[in-house]
Amino acid sequence: MNALLSDKRKYTISLWVALPLCIFILFTLDLFLGSVHIPVDEILEIIFTGEGSKTSWTNIIWQFRMPRATTALLVGIALSVSGLQLQTLFRNPLAGPFVLGISTGASLGVALLVMAGAILGTAFSFYMNSWLIILASTIGSSLVLFLVLAASFKVRDSMTLLIIGLMFGSFTGAIVSVLQFYSNSEEIKIYLIWTMGSLGRLSWDQIMILIPVIIAGIALSFSMIKPLNTLLLSENYALSMGVNIKKVRLMIIISTSILAGSVTAFCGPIAFIGLAVPHLTRLLINTSDHKYTLPAVAMGGVITMLICDIVSQIPNSEFILPINAVTSLIGAPVVVWVLIRKKNVNRAFGK
């Protein structure tokens, strides 16, 4: 009994004190880093009052660094929560938000847009046509989502759906490869820049669109806490508890697609966050109850993305490393650790 109360106290402290404090410190540090040095007290003044002692510093914070840090926050929440849901649905520790082919569907949309630009003789510039890239990416990921949803009504178990999602991903990936083969170097360069992912290309207008979309996906996730907990003990147990498996599976797919699809459309594919963060968070709170793991994973995703963004910024340099490379550098060792400690992972999934 005392141990149970101690664990509950630990979860409460971690969730509502330690993690938010860590997020605030990292968010401020993320605003501090950059090619132009701005004192921390000036940054805090700009955050809380909206104005600093220098107009240039205010513009740098509000027009460049704040949108970037805010994007990192949104991406961390969206990808980590969608990863946790899929790992629970498939009861597979290596499932991530892109196993359903959402990322490759978005990649196909962007690749087709680049190719269409070449065919029509239009000079497509990535930075001048970011809304077109977002639209193409959204259409591509939505198309794959529609196919996965159609398949979800036909198959009985989640593992089959996982394999179908992987096949959709392979199929769209193959089409992208063919398009790349027939593209020139400039088109391939535009496409590759998009695949590297970026937190710094979003304007406030785009962030204002992304925020309500992610809030809707997160709200849907939190409405599924009880069904997610029953799925941890197997689909048969969930059925015996009166859970409508098809409905739950559909809701998880929609939630994941909203979260991962919107992030991919606006920021490009960002790997490993959805896969690695749930495992990292389980190290902090040793429970599988989604009442605790969902908010903890969301905050863990924010912390991880802010750390990745900080690492990507080379000190005293205007150059920034591709965010997708940084997340992979952090995520790959985590996956290796997951495989080595397979016994503990199985325990987390009730196996």
Side-chain angles (χ1 to χ4, degrees):
M1 185 65 180
N2 289 334
L4 186 63
L5 290 174
S6 176
D7 284 345
K8 189 175 181 180
R9 193 177 298 115
K10 180 182 174 183
Y11 302 149
T12 304
I13 293 173
S14 300
L15 279 176
W16 307 120
V17 179
L19 293 180
L21 180 62
C22 189
I23 289 172
F24 176 77
I25 293 171
L26 289 172
F27 194 88
T28 306
L29 181 61
D30 201 19
L31 297 179
F32 176 75
L33 295 175
S35 57
V36 177
H37 173 71
I38 303 176
V40 175
D41 57 336
E42 285 285 344
I43 291 175
L44 294 175
E45 183 179 349
I46 292 171
I47 291 174
F48 291 111
T49 67
E51 294 290 340
S53 60
K54 292 184 179 180
T55 305
S56 59
W57 286 354
T58 304
N59 289 335
I60 288 172
I61 292 297
W62 283 111
Q63 300 303 320
F64 297 99
R65 297 186 187 178
M66 187 69 80
R68 183 184 182 88
T70 304
T71 304
L73 187 148
L74 296 172
V75 170
I77 292 174
L79 294 184
S80 57
V81 169
S82 57
L84 175 65
Q85 289 185 103
L86 287 181
Q87 287 176 10
T88 301
L89 173 64
F90 296 122
R91 301 185 73 228
N92 188 326
L94 296 181
F98 299 131
V99 295
L100 297 178
I102 296 170
S103 176
T104 50
S107 301
L108 176 61
V110 174
L112 285 172
L113 174 67
V114 173
M115 281 296 293
I119 292 171
L120 297 173
T122 306
F124 274 79
S125 167
F126 178 78
Y127 295 102
M128 293 296 291
N129 296 281
S130 58
W131 283 108
L132 281 177
I133 296 288
I134 292 171
L135 179 62
S137 176
T138 304
I139 292 173
S141 58
S142 299
L143 177 63
V144 173
L145 168 64
F146 174 78
L147 296 173
V148 171
L149 285 176
S152 69
F153 289 108
K154 298 291 184 183
V155 299
R156 292 184 177 180
D157 62 280
S158 299
M159 195 55 65
T160 306
L161 185 62
L162 173 63
I163 296 172
I164 290 174
L166 291 172
M167 292 303 102
F168 279 141
S170 298
F171 181 75
T172 52
I175 296 177
V176 171
S177 297
V178 172
L179 291 174
Q180 283 184 288
F181 181 78
Y182 287 105
S183 301
N184 59 40
S185 58
E186 183 64 24
E187 294 157 0
I188 293 175
K189 181 181 176 183
I190 293 172
Y191 175 74
L192 287 179
I193 289 175
W194 180 81
T195 60
M196 290 177 183
S198 174
L199 301 176
R201 68 172 69 130
L202 270 67
S203 65
W204 279 116
D205 289 339
Q206 292 168 334
I207 291 174
M208 288 299 114
I209 294 175
L210 187 58
I211 287 175
V213 174
I214 289 181
I215 288 176
I218 292 295
L220 194 57
S221 303
F222 275 81
S223 71
M224 305 292 291
I225 285 178
K226 286 185 178 178
L228 284 169
N229 283 338
T230 56
L231 281 176
L232 279 175
L233 299 175
S234 80
E235 288 189 357
N236 289 333
Y237 176 79
L239 280 170
S240 69
M241 296 295 292
V243 175
N244 187 331
I245 295 296
K246 283 195 173 182
K247 180 182 176 183
V248 170
R249 190 190 301 161
L250 180 65
M251 299 295 279
I252 292 175
I253 292 172
I254 291 175
S255 170
T256 301
S257 301
I258 289 173
L259 294 171
S262 60
V263 165
T264 306
F266 281 84
C267 305
I270 298 177
F272 279 109
I273 295 299
L275 175 60
V277 169
H279 297 299
L280 288 172
T281 307
R282 289 189 189 100
L283 289 176
L284 181 64
I285 56 168
N286 189 25
T287 178
S288 300
D289 188 347
H290 287 77
K291 178 181 176 183
Y292 299 106
T293 53
L294 262 179
V297 163
M299 287 188 275
V302 174
I303 291 170
T304 306
M305 276 308 302
L306 287 172
I307 291 174
C308 290
D309 191 33
I310 290 169
V311 171
S312 71
Q313 300 180 50
I314 303 171
N316 300 319
S317 171
E318 62 181 8
F319 296 106
I320 298 174
L321 295 173
I323 192 66
N324 213 2
V326 177
T327 56
S328 298
L329 283 173
I330 295 175
V334 172
V335 174
V336 173
W337 173 84
V338 167
L339 294 173
I340 291 174
R341 295 176 59 114
K342 191 176 179 183
K343 180 190 289 185
N344 291 343
V345 172
N346 285 342
R347 191 182 305 156
F349 287 87
K351 295 181 180 179

